[in-house]
Amino acid sequence: MIVNEISLWGAALVAIIVVIAMIALAFVDRKMLRRMLVIFAATLAQMAVVGAVVLLAFKTFAWWAYLLWYLLILFLSICWVLYPINMMWKRALIPVSAAMLVGSIVVGGSTILCLPMNVYLTVYSVLMACLTASMIQILMNFLRSQHGSPKNPEASKLEISWRESVLPQIRSMAQPLVMVMPMLYAGMLVGGISAQAGLLIIFLLIGASFVANVLAGVIALSMIHKGQKA
């Protein structure tokens, strides 16, 4: 077990470094320290819930435990997408929820079809992390496009938002995938999957992630525009 190989001295050293960093930050900016502590506490609470669900899934191997994990990750992803745009969360709640639901079905379905169920927890979470980062960027681009003047006044509002919100994210979509997928590929190799099979799985998951990102962006922007017209 890799847990038995973790050095207690190394863990203690990391804890000491964190404490020293907090003390240094207290001298520099106490207000920032308070914000950091709130974020740290929220992260710990989130990880406690996630860890409990993961432990439950691995102990039971029941379908309802995997369904609970699916819903938990979906809920957390929706919350993280809405967090940077808290000024417009009321009109973005339903569009973002619908977009993330469709995206989660695409990436979750591809995970179940491509891989065995015992790796579903990890791979689904990785793909949802990419989708969450993509949706945040799409909505931030959308907000910026609303304040800017369109280059083509004759184009429709939806077309302008598509160009200025979704297309830039599609061009830069390879960035989170390039950072995340090699780690997932390394995990597959460590888990005993052959290099050829792992590479094929990565290509399939990248394709599924691309489709999920585009669909989620289109659904969210379309629903937001319909809400603005109503």
mmCIF file with all atom_site columns, all heavy atoms in Angstrom, residues 82-109:
data_model
loop_
_atom_site.group_PDB
_atom_site.id
_atom_site.type_symbol
_atom_site.label_atom_id
_atom_site.label_alt_id
_atom_site.label_comp_id
_atom_site.label_asym_id
_atom_site.label_entity_id
_atom_site.label_seq_id
_atom_site.pdbx_PDB_ins_code
_atom_site.Cartn_x
_atom_site.Cartn_y
_atom_site.Cartn_z
_atom_site.occupancy
_atom_site.B_iso_or_equiv
_atom_site.pdbx_formal_charge
_atom_site.auth_seq_id
_atom_site.auth_comp_id
_atom_site.auth_asym_id
_atom_site.auth_atom_id
_atom_site.pdbx_PDB_model_num
ATOM 1   N N   . LEU A 1 82  ? -20.706 28.950 -11.107 1.00 0.00 ? 82  LEU A N   1
ATOM 2   C CA  . LEU A 1 82  ? -21.480 30.129 -10.722 1.00 0.00 ? 82  LEU A CA  1
ATOM 3   C C   . LEU A 1 82  ? -20.700 31.069 -9.802  1.00 0.00 ? 82  LEU A C   1
ATOM 4   O O   . LEU A 1 82  ? -21.017 32.259 -9.727  1.00 0.00 ? 82  LEU A O   1
ATOM 5   C CB  . LEU A 1 82  ? -22.771 29.694 -10.021 1.00 0.00 ? 82  LEU A CB  1
ATOM 6   C CG  . LEU A 1 82  ? -23.809 28.989 -10.894 1.00 0.00 ? 82  LEU A CG  1
ATOM 7   C CD1 . LEU A 1 82  ? -24.940 28.452 -10.039 1.00 0.00 ? 82  LEU A CD1 1
ATOM 8   C CD2 . LEU A 1 82  ? -24.340 29.925 -11.970 1.00 0.00 ? 82  LEU A CD2 1
ATOM 9   N N   . TYR A 1 83  ? -19.706 30.547 -9.096  1.00 0.00 ? 83  TYR A N   1
ATOM 10  C CA  . TYR A 1 83  ? -18.998 31.355 -8.087  1.00 0.00 ? 83  TYR A CA  1
ATOM 11  C C   . TYR A 1 83  ? -18.366 32.634 -8.663  1.00 0.00 ? 83  TYR A C   1
ATOM 12  O O   . TYR A 1 83  ? -18.544 33.711 -8.097  1.00 0.00 ? 83  TYR A O   1
ATOM 13  C CB  . TYR A 1 83  ? -17.935 30.490 -7.408  1.00 0.00 ? 83  TYR A CB  1
ATOM 14  C CG  . TYR A 1 83  ? -17.096 31.237 -6.397  1.00 0.00 ? 83  TYR A CG  1
ATOM 15  C CD1 . TYR A 1 83  ? -17.628 31.622 -5.172  1.00 0.00 ? 83  TYR A CD1 1
ATOM 16  C CD2 . TYR A 1 83  ? -15.770 31.568 -6.675  1.00 0.00 ? 83  TYR A CD2 1
ATOM 17  C CE1 . TYR A 1 83  ? -16.862 32.308 -4.249  1.00 0.00 ? 83  TYR A CE1 1
ATOM 18  C CE2 . TYR A 1 83  ? -15.001 32.260 -5.761  1.00 0.00 ? 83  TYR A CE2 1
ATOM 19  C CZ  . TYR A 1 83  ? -15.556 32.624 -4.551  1.00 0.00 ? 83  TYR A CZ  1
ATOM 20  O OH  . TYR A 1 83  ? -14.788 33.315 -3.648  1.00 0.00 ? 83  TYR A OH  1
ATOM 21  N N   . PRO A 1 84  ? -17.634 32.585 -9.799  1.00 0.00 ? 84  PRO A N   1
ATOM 22  C CA  . PRO A 1 84  ? -17.021 33.829 -10.300 1.00 0.00 ? 84  PRO A CA  1
ATOM 23  C C   . PRO A 1 84  ? -18.026 34.820 -10.857 1.00 0.00 ? 84  PRO A C   1
ATOM 24  O O   . PRO A 1 84  ? -17.689 35.987 -11.056 1.00 0.00 ? 84  PRO A O   1
ATOM 25  C CB  . PRO A 1 84  ? -16.070 33.338 -11.406 1.00 0.00 ? 84  PRO A CB  1
ATOM 26  C CG  . PRO A 1 84  ? -15.975 31.868 -11.232 1.00 0.00 ? 84  PRO A CG  1
ATOM 27  C CD  . PRO A 1 84  ? -17.261 31.435 -10.620 1.00 0.00 ? 84  PRO A CD  1
ATOM 28  N N   . ILE A 1 85  ? -19.261 34.380 -11.150 1.00 0.00 ? 85  ILE A N   1
ATOM 29  C CA  . ILE A 1 85  ? -20.256 35.276 -11.765 1.00 0.00 ? 85  ILE A CA  1
ATOM 30  C C   . ILE A 1 85  ? -21.415 35.489 -10.799 1.00 0.00 ? 85  ILE A C   1
ATOM 31  O O   . ILE A 1 85  ? -22.576 35.498 -11.200 1.00 0.00 ? 85  ILE A O   1
ATOM 32  C CB  . ILE A 1 85  ? -20.757 34.702 -13.099 1.00 0.00 ? 85  ILE A CB  1
ATOM 33  C CG1 . ILE A 1 85  ? -21.311 33.280 -12.914 1.00 0.00 ? 85  ILE A CG1 1
ATOM 34  C CG2 . ILE A 1 85  ? -19.669 34.694 -14.142 1.00 0.00 ? 85  ILE A CG2 1
ATOM 35  C CD1 . ILE A 1 85  ? -22.032 32.762 -14.120 1.00 0.00 ? 85  ILE A CD1 1
ATOM 36  N N   . ASN A 1 86  ? -21.100 35.688 -9.520  1.00 0.00 ? 86  ASN A N   1
ATOM 37  C CA  . ASN A 1 86  ? -22.151 35.766 -8.499  1.00 0.00 ? 86  ASN A CA  1
ATOM 38  C C   . ASN A 1 86  ? -23.110 36.929 -8.717  1.00 0.00 ? 86  ASN A C   1
ATOM 39  O O   . ASN A 1 86  ? -24.215 36.925 -8.198  1.00 0.00 ? 86  ASN A O   1
ATOM 40  C CB  . ASN A 1 86  ? -21.530 35.857 -7.107  1.00 0.00 ? 86  ASN A CB  1
ATOM 41  C CG  . ASN A 1 86  ? -20.545 37.024 -6.997  1.00 0.00 ? 86  ASN A CG  1
ATOM 42  O OD1 . ASN A 1 86  ? -20.264 37.696 -7.981  1.00 0.00 ? 86  ASN A OD1 1
ATOM 43  N ND2 . ASN A 1 86  ? -20.004 37.237 -5.819  1.00 0.00 ? 86  ASN A ND2 1
ATOM 44  N N   . MET A 1 87  ? -22.708 37.912 -9.509  1.00 0.00 ? 87  MET A N   1
ATOM 45  C CA  . MET A 1 87  ? -23.596 39.043 -9.757  1.00 0.00 ? 87  MET A CA  1
ATOM 46  C C   . MET A 1 87  ? -24.758 38.666 -10.669 1.00 0.00 ? 87  MET A C   1
ATOM 47  O O   . MET A 1 87  ? -25.772 39.346 -10.706 1.00 0.00 ? 87  MET A O   1
ATOM 48  C CB  . MET A 1 87  ? -22.807 40.202 -10.389 1.00 0.00 ? 87  MET A CB  1
ATOM 49  C CG  . MET A 1 87  ? -21.748 40.800 -9.468  1.00 0.00 ? 87  MET A CG  1
ATOM 50  S SD  . MET A 1 87  ? -22.438 41.491 -7.954  1.00 0.00 ? 87  MET A SD  1
ATOM 51  C CE  . MET A 1 87  ? -23.375 42.865 -8.622  1.00 0.00 ? 87  MET A CE  1
ATOM 52  N N   . MET A 1 88  ? -24.633 37.576 -11.419 1.00 0.00 ? 88  MET A N   1
ATOM 53  C CA  . MET A 1 88  ? -25.693 37.203 -12.356 1.00 0.00 ? 88  MET A CA  1
ATOM 54  C C   . MET A 1 88  ? -26.149 35.765 -12.120 1.00 0.00 ? 88  MET A C   1
ATOM 55  O O   . MET A 1 88  ? -26.719 35.135 -13.015 1.00 0.00 ? 88  MET A O   1
ATOM 56  C CB  . MET A 1 88  ? -25.207 37.361 -13.795 1.00 0.00 ? 88  MET A CB  1
ATOM 57  C CG  . MET A 1 88  ? -23.972 36.561 -14.145 1.00 0.00 ? 88  MET A CG  1
ATOM 58  S SD  . MET A 1 88  ? -23.590 36.565 -15.923 1.00 0.00 ? 88  MET A SD  1
ATOM 59  C CE  . MET A 1 88  ? -24.934 35.605 -16.580 1.00 0.00 ? 88  MET A CE  1
ATOM 60  N N   . TRP A 1 89  ? -25.918 35.238 -10.917 1.00 0.00 ? 89  TRP A N   1
ATOM 61  C CA  . TRP A 1 89  ? -26.202 33.815 -10.702 1.00 0.00 ? 89  TRP A CA  1
ATOM 62  C C   . TRP A 1 89  ? -27.679 33.488 -10.822 1.00 0.00 ? 89  TRP A C   1
ATOM 63  O O   . TRP A 1 89  ? -28.041 32.388 -11.218 1.00 0.00 ? 89  TRP A O   1
ATOM 64  C CB  . TRP A 1 89  ? -25.674 33.380 -9.342  1.00 0.00 ? 89  TRP A CB  1
ATOM 65  C CG  . TRP A 1 89  ? -26.509 33.833 -8.186  1.00 0.00 ? 89  TRP A CG  1
ATOM 66  C CD1 . TRP A 1 89  ? -26.367 34.981 -7.483  1.00 0.00 ? 89  TRP A CD1 1
ATOM 67  C CD2 . TRP A 1 89  ? -27.604 33.143 -7.584  1.00 0.00 ? 89  TRP A CD2 1
ATOM 68  N NE1 . TRP A 1 89  ? -27.300 35.071 -6.503  1.00 0.00 ? 89  TRP A NE1 1
ATOM 69  C CE2 . TRP A 1 89  ? -28.077 33.951 -6.537  1.00 0.00 ? 89  TRP A CE2 1
ATOM 70  C CE3 . TRP A 1 89  ? -28.237 31.927 -7.834  1.00 0.00 ? 89  TRP A CE3 1
ATOM 71  C CZ2 . TRP A 1 89  ? -29.161 33.572 -5.742  1.00 0.00 ? 89  TRP A CZ2 1
ATOM 72  C CZ3 . TRP A 1 89  ? -29.311 31.556 -7.044  1.00 0.00 ? 89  TRP A CZ3 1
ATOM 73  C CH2 . TRP A 1 89  ? -29.748 32.377 -6.011  1.00 0.00 ? 89  TRP A CH2 1
ATOM 74  N N   . LYS A 1 90  ? -28.576 34.447 -10.540 1.00 0.00 ? 90  LYS A N   1
ATOM 75  C CA  . LYS A 1 90  ? -30.012 34.151 -10.593 1.00 0.00 ? 90  LYS A CA  1
ATOM 76  C C   . LYS A 1 90  ? -30.466 33.815 -11.999 1.00 0.00 ? 90  LYS A C   1
ATOM 77  O O   . LYS A 1 90  ? -31.251 32.890 -12.209 1.00 0.00 ? 90  LYS A O   1
ATOM 78  C CB  . LYS A 1 90  ? -30.806 35.334 -10.038 1.00 0.00 ? 90  LYS A CB  1
ATOM 79  C CG  . LYS A 1 90  ? -30.674 35.489 -8.525  1.00 0.00 ? 90  LYS A CG  1
ATOM 80  C CD  . LYS A 1 90  ? -31.560 36.607 -8.012  1.00 0.00 ? 90  LYS A CD  1
ATOM 81  C CE  . LYS A 1 90  ? -31.463 36.727 -6.494  1.00 0.00 ? 90  LYS A CE  1
ATOM 82  N NZ  . LYS A 1 90  ? -32.293 37.819 -5.962  1.00 0.00 ? 90  LYS A NZ  1
ATOM 83  N N   . ARG A 1 91  ? -29.988 34.555 -12.987 1.00 0.00 ? 91  ARG A N   1
ATOM 84  C CA  . ARG A 1 91  ? -30.393 34.254 -14.357 1.00 0.00 ? 91  ARG A CA  1
ATOM 85  C C   . ARG A 1 91  ? -29.484 33.234 -15.016 1.00 0.00 ? 91  ARG A C   1
ATOM 86  O O   . ARG A 1 91  ? -29.791 32.755 -16.107 1.00 0.00 ? 91  ARG A O   1
ATOM 87  C CB  . ARG A 1 91  ? -30.437 35.532 -15.205 1.00 0.00 ? 91  ARG A CB  1
ATOM 88  C CG  . ARG A 1 91  ? -29.123 36.245 -15.397 1.00 0.00 ? 91  ARG A CG  1
ATOM 89  C CD  . ARG A 1 91  ? -29.369 37.579 -16.071 1.00 0.00 ? 91  ARG A CD  1
ATOM 90  N NE  . ARG A 1 91  ? -28.168 38.384 -16.188 1.00 0.00 ? 91  ARG A NE  1
ATOM 91  C CZ  . ARG A 1 91  ? -27.560 38.632 -17.343 1.00 0.00 ? 91  ARG A CZ  1
ATOM 92  N NH1 . ARG A 1 91  ? -28.046 38.123 -18.453 1.00 0.00 ? 91  ARG A NH1 1
ATOM 93  N NH2 . ARG A 1 91  ? -26.488 39.375 -17.387 1.00 0.00 ? 91  ARG A NH2 1
ATOM 94  N N   . ALA A 1 92  ? -28.365 32.890 -14.378 1.00 0.00 ? 92  ALA A N   1
ATOM 95  C CA  . ALA A 1 92  ? -27.459 31.894 -14.952 1.00 0.00 ? 92  ALA A CA  1
ATOM 96  C C   . ALA A 1 92  ? -27.611 30.531 -14.300 1.00 0.00 ? 92  ALA A C   1
ATOM 97  O O   . ALA A 1 92  ? -27.048 29.557 -14.790 1.00 0.00 ? 92  ALA A O   1
ATOM 98  C CB  . ALA A 1 92  ? -26.011 32.367 -14.821 1.00 0.00 ? 92  ALA A CB  1
ATOM 99  N N   . LEU A 1 93  ? -28.361 30.442 -13.209 1.00 0.00 ? 93  LEU A N   1
ATOM 100 C CA  . LEU A 1 93  ? -28.458 29.186 -12.462 1.00 0.00 ? 93  LEU A CA  1
ATOM 101 C C   . LEU A 1 93  ? -29.030 28.062 -13.328 1.00 0.00 ? 93  LEU A C   1
ATOM 102 O O   . LEU A 1 93  ? -28.430 26.987 -13.452 1.00 0.00 ? 93  LEU A O   1
ATOM 103 C CB  . LEU A 1 93  ? -29.323 29.384 -11.217 1.00 0.00 ? 93  LEU A CB  1
ATOM 104 C CG  . LEU A 1 93  ? -29.600 28.125 -10.381 1.00 0.00 ? 93  LEU A CG  1
ATOM 105 C CD1 . LEU A 1 93  ? -28.294 27.523 -9.883  1.00 0.00 ? 93  LEU A CD1 1
ATOM 106 C CD2 . LEU A 1 93  ? -30.528 28.441 -9.228  1.00 0.00 ? 93  LEU A CD2 1
ATOM 107 N N   . ILE A 1 94  ? -30.186 28.303 -13.953 1.00 0.00 ? 94  ILE A N   1
ATOM 108 C CA  . ILE A 1 94  ? -30.817 27.261 -14.765 1.00 0.00 ? 94  ILE A CA  1
ATOM 109 C C   . ILE A 1 94  ? -29.990 26.957 -16.025 1.00 0.00 ? 94  ILE A C   1
ATOM 110 O O   . ILE A 1 94  ? -29.750 25.783 -16.340 1.00 0.00 ? 94  ILE A O   1
ATOM 111 C CB  . ILE A 1 94  ? -32.261 27.658 -15.120 1.00 0.00 ? 94  ILE A CB  1
ATOM 112 C CG1 . ILE A 1 94  ? -33.113 27.716 -13.843 1.00 0.00 ? 94  ILE A CG1 1
ATOM 113 C CG2 . ILE A 1 94  ? -32.859 26.676 -16.112 1.00 0.00 ? 94  ILE A CG2 1
ATOM 114 C CD1 . ILE A 1 94  ? -34.541 28.141 -14.068 1.00 0.00 ? 94  ILE A CD1 1
ATOM 115 N N   . PRO A 1 95  ? -29.533 27.986 -16.781 1.00 0.00 ? 95  PRO A N   1
ATOM 116 C CA  . PRO A 1 95  ? -28.704 27.675 -17.956 1.00 0.00 ? 95  PRO A CA  1
ATOM 117 C C   . PRO A 1 95  ? -27.433 26.909 -17.618 1.00 0.00 ? 95  PRO A C   1
ATOM 118 O O   . PRO A 1 95  ? -27.088 25.941 -18.310 1.00 0.00 ? 95  PRO A O   1
ATOM 119 C CB  . PRO A 1 95  ? -28.377 29.069 -18.531 1.00 0.00 ? 95  PRO A CB  1
ATOM 120 C CG  . PRO A 1 95  ? -29.491 29.933 -18.085 1.00 0.00 ? 95  PRO A CG  1
ATOM 121 C CD  . PRO A 1 95  ? -29.866 29.434 -16.728 1.00 0.00 ? 95  PRO A CD  1
ATOM 122 N N   . VAL A 1 96  ? -26.743 27.323 -16.555 1.00 0.00 ? 96  VAL A N   1
ATOM 123 C CA  . VAL A 1 96  ? -25.507 26.635 -16.172 1.00 0.00 ? 96  VAL A CA  1
ATOM 124 C C   . VAL A 1 96  ? -25.807 25.205 -15.720 1.00 0.00 ? 96  VAL A C   1
ATOM 125 O O   . VAL A 1 96  ? -25.086 24.258 -16.072 1.00 0.00 ? 96  VAL A O   1
ATOM 126 C CB  . VAL A 1 96  ? -24.771 27.420 -15.072 1.00 0.00 ? 96  VAL A CB  1
ATOM 127 C CG1 . VAL A 1 96  ? -23.672 26.572 -14.433 1.00 0.00 ? 96  VAL A CG1 1
ATOM 128 C CG2 . VAL A 1 96  ? -24.177 28.698 -15.639 1.00 0.00 ? 96  VAL A CG2 1
ATOM 129 N N   . SER A 1 97  ? -26.881 25.039 -14.947 1.00 0.00 ? 97  SER A N   1
ATOM 130 C CA  . SER A 1 97  ? -27.244 23.698 -14.480 1.00 0.00 ? 97  SER A CA  1
ATOM 131 C C   . SER A 1 97  ? -27.566 22.779 -15.648 1.00 0.00 ? 97  SER A C   1
ATOM 132 O O   . SER A 1 97  ? -27.123 21.625 -15.693 1.00 0.00 ? 97  SER A O   1
ATOM 133 C CB  . SER A 1 97  ? -28.436 23.786 -13.524 1.00 0.00 ? 97  SER A CB  1
ATOM 134 O OG  . SER A 1 97  ? -28.124 24.572 -12.385 1.00 0.00 ? 97  SER A OG  1
ATOM 135 N N   . ALA A 1 98  ? -28.350 23.297 -16.610 1.00 0.00 ? 98  ALA A N   1
ATOM 136 C CA  . ALA A 1 98  ? -28.694 22.483 -17.775 1.00 0.00 ? 98  ALA A CA  1
ATOM 137 C C   . ALA A 1 98  ? -27.459 22.150 -18.609 1.00 0.00 ? 98  ALA A C   1
ATOM 138 O O   . ALA A 1 98  ? -27.284 21.012 -19.066 1.00 0.00 ? 98  ALA A O   1
ATOM 139 C CB  . ALA A 1 98  ? -29.724 23.222 -18.632 1.00 0.00 ? 98  ALA A CB  1
ATOM 140 N N   . ALA A 1 99  ? -26.583 23.145 -18.798 1.00 0.00 ? 99  ALA A N   1
ATOM 141 C CA  . ALA A 1 99  ? -25.374 22.927 -19.600 1.00 0.00 ? 99  ALA A CA  1
ATOM 142 C C   . ALA A 1 99  ? -24.452 21.907 -18.942 1.00 0.00 ? 99  ALA A C   1
ATOM 143 O O   . ALA A 1 99  ? -23.930 21.000 -19.602 1.00 0.00 ? 99  ALA A O   1
ATOM 144 C CB  . ALA A 1 99  ? -24.642 24.255 -19.798 1.00 0.00 ? 99  ALA A CB  1
ATOM 145 N N   . MET A 1 100 ? -24.253 22.039 -17.633 1.00 0.00 ? 100 MET A N   1
ATOM 146 C CA  . MET A 1 100 ? -23.363 21.111 -16.931 1.00 0.00 ? 100 MET A CA  1
ATOM 147 C C   . MET A 1 100 ? -23.972 19.710 -16.873 1.00 0.00 ? 100 MET A C   1
ATOM 148 O O   . MET A 1 100 ? -23.252 18.710 -16.895 1.00 0.00 ? 100 MET A O   1
ATOM 149 C CB  . MET A 1 100 ? -23.070 21.625 -15.532 1.00 0.00 ? 100 MET A CB  1
ATOM 150 C CG  . MET A 1 100 ? -22.281 22.930 -15.500 1.00 0.00 ? 100 MET A CG  1
ATOM 151 S SD  . MET A 1 100 ? -20.684 22.817 -16.335 1.00 0.00 ? 100 MET A SD  1
ATOM 152 C CE  . MET A 1 100 ? -19.792 21.740 -15.226 1.00 0.00 ? 100 MET A CE  1
ATOM 153 N N   . LEU A 1 101 ? -25.299 19.626 -16.794 1.00 0.00 ? 101 LEU A N   1
ATOM 154 C CA  . LEU A 1 101 ? -25.953 18.312 -16.786 1.00 0.00 ? 101 LEU A CA  1
ATOM 155 C C   . LEU A 1 101 ? -25.711 17.585 -18.103 1.00 0.00 ? 101 LEU A C   1
ATOM 156 O O   . LEU A 1 101 ? -25.327 16.401 -18.115 1.00 0.00 ? 101 LEU A O   1
ATOM 157 C CB  . LEU A 1 101 ? -27.454 18.473 -16.538 1.00 0.00 ? 101 LEU A CB  1
ATOM 158 C CG  . LEU A 1 101 ? -28.286 17.182 -16.604 1.00 0.00 ? 101 LEU A CG  1
ATOM 159 C CD1 . LEU A 1 101 ? -27.820 16.189 -15.553 1.00 0.00 ? 101 LEU A CD1 1
ATOM 160 C CD2 . LEU A 1 101 ? -29.769 17.495 -16.440 1.00 0.00 ? 101 LEU A CD2 1
ATOM 161 N N   . VAL A 1 102 ? -25.918 18.282 -19.222 1.00 0.00 ? 102 VAL A N   1
ATOM 162 C CA  . VAL A 1 102 ? -25.684 17.668 -20.531 1.00 0.00 ? 102 VAL A CA  1
ATOM 163 C C   . VAL A 1 102 ? -24.212 17.289 -20.682 1.00 0.00 ? 102 VAL A C   1
ATOM 164 O O   . VAL A 1 102 ? -23.875 16.182 -21.138 1.00 0.00 ? 102 VAL A O   1
ATOM 165 C CB  . VAL A 1 102 ? -26.118 18.619 -21.660 1.00 0.00 ? 102 VAL A CB  1
ATOM 166 C CG1 . VAL A 1 102 ? -25.707 18.058 -23.017 1.00 0.00 ? 102 VAL A CG1 1
ATOM 167 C CG2 . VAL A 1 102 ? -27.621 18.846 -21.617 1.00 0.00 ? 102 VAL A CG2 1
ATOM 168 N N   . GLY A 1 103 ? -23.321 18.207 -20.288 1.00 0.00 ? 103 GLY A N   1
ATOM 169 C CA  . GLY A 1 103 ? -21.898 17.912 -20.379 1.00 0.00 ? 103 GLY A CA  1
ATOM 170 C C   . GLY A 1 103 ? -21.495 16.733 -19.516 1.00 0.00 ? 103 GLY A C   1
ATOM 171 O O   . GLY A 1 103 ? -20.685 15.893 -19.924 1.00 0.00 ? 103 GLY A O   1
ATOM 172 N N   . SER A 1 104 ? -22.074 16.639 -18.320 1.00 0.00 ? 104 SER A N   1
ATOM 173 C CA  . SER A 1 104 ? -21.744 15.530 -17.423 1.00 0.00 ? 104 SER A CA  1
ATOM 174 C C   . SER A 1 104 ? -22.250 14.198 -17.971 1.00 0.00 ? 104 SER A C   1
ATOM 175 O O   . SER A 1 104 ? -21.613 13.158 -17.771 1.00 0.00 ? 104 SER A O   1
ATOM 176 C CB  . SER A 1 104 ? -22.338 15.788 -16.034 1.00 0.00 ? 104 SER A CB  1
ATOM 177 O OG  . SER A 1 104 ? -23.763 15.731 -16.064 1.00 0.00 ? 104 SER A OG  1
ATOM 178 N N   . ILE A 1 105 ? -23.388 14.231 -18.675 1.00 0.00 ? 105 ILE A N   1
ATOM 179 C CA  . ILE A 1 105 ? -23.896 13.007 -19.290 1.00 0.00 ? 105 ILE A CA  1
ATOM 180 C C   . ILE A 1 105 ? -22.950 12.531 -20.386 1.00 0.00 ? 105 ILE A C   1
ATOM 181 O O   . ILE A 1 105 ? -22.667 11.331 -20.517 1.00 0.00 ? 105 ILE A O   1
ATOM 182 C CB  . ILE A 1 105 ? -25.317 13.238 -19.843 1.00 0.00 ? 105 ILE A CB  1
ATOM 183 C CG1 . ILE A 1 105 ? -26.303 13.449 -18.680 1.00 0.00 ? 105 ILE A CG1 1
ATOM 184 C CG2 . ILE A 1 105 ? -25.756 12.067 -20.707 1.00 0.00 ? 105 ILE A CG2 1
ATOM 185 C CD1 . ILE A 1 105 ? -27.689 13.834 -19.133 1.00 0.00 ? 105 ILE A CD1 1
ATOM 186 N N   . VAL A 1 106 ? -22.429 13.482 -21.164 1.00 0.00 ? 106 VAL A N   1
ATOM 187 C CA  . VAL A 1 106 ? -21.499 13.120 -22.243 1.00 0.00 ? 106 VAL A CA  1
ATOM 188 C C   . VAL A 1 106 ? -20.214 12.529 -21.667 1.00 0.00 ? 106 VAL A C   1
ATOM 189 O O   . VAL A 1 106 ? -19.781 11.435 -22.064 1.00 0.00 ? 106 VAL A O   1
ATOM 190 C CB  . VAL A 1 106 ? -21.186 14.346 -23.121 1.00 0.00 ? 106 VAL A CB  1
ATOM 191 C CG1 . VAL A 1 106 ? -20.093 14.011 -24.137 1.00 0.00 ? 106 VAL A CG1 1
ATOM 192 C CG2 . VAL A 1 106 ? -22.438 14.815 -23.849 1.00 0.00 ? 106 VAL A CG2 1
ATOM 193 N N   . VAL A 1 107 ? -19.587 13.236 -20.719 1.00 0.00 ? 107 VAL A N   1
ATOM 194 C CA  . VAL A 1 107 ? -18.311 12.748 -20.185 1.00 0.00 ? 107 VAL A CA  1
ATOM 195 C C   . VAL A 1 107 ? -18.518 11.522 -19.290 1.00 0.00 ? 107 VAL A C   1
ATOM 196 O O   . VAL A 1 107 ? -17.686 10.608 -19.272 1.00 0.00 ? 107 VAL A O   1
ATOM 197 C CB  . VAL A 1 107 ? -17.571 13.865 -19.414 1.00 0.00 ? 107 VAL A CB  1
ATOM 198 C CG1 . VAL A 1 107 ? -17.240 15.016 -20.338 1.00 0.00 ? 107 VAL A CG1 1
ATOM 199 C CG2 . VAL A 1 107 ? -18.378 14.367 -18.225 1.00 0.00 ? 107 VAL A CG2 1
ATOM 200 N N   . GLY A 1 108 ? -19.632 11.500 -18.537 1.00 0.00 ? 108 GLY A N   1
ATOM 201 C CA  . GLY A 1 108 ? -19.898 10.333 -17.704 1.00 0.00 ? 108 GLY A CA  1
ATOM 202 C C   . GLY A 1 108 ? -20.202 9.099  -18.532 1.00 0.00 ? 108 GLY A C   1
ATOM 203 O O   . GLY A 1 108 ? -19.719 7.998  -18.232 1.00 0.00 ? 108 GLY A O   1
ATOM 204 N N   . GLY A 1 109 ? -20.984 9.281  -19.592 1.00 0.00 ? 109 GLY A N   1
ATOM 205 C CA  . GLY A 1 109 ? -21.297 8.149  -20.463 1.00 0.00 ? 109 GLY A CA  1
ATOM 206 C C   . GLY A 1 109 ? -20.068 7.623  -21.167 1.00 0.00 ? 109 GLY A C   1
ATOM 207 O O   . GLY A 1 109 ? -19.881 6.398  -21.286 1.00 0.00 ? 109 GLY A O   1
#
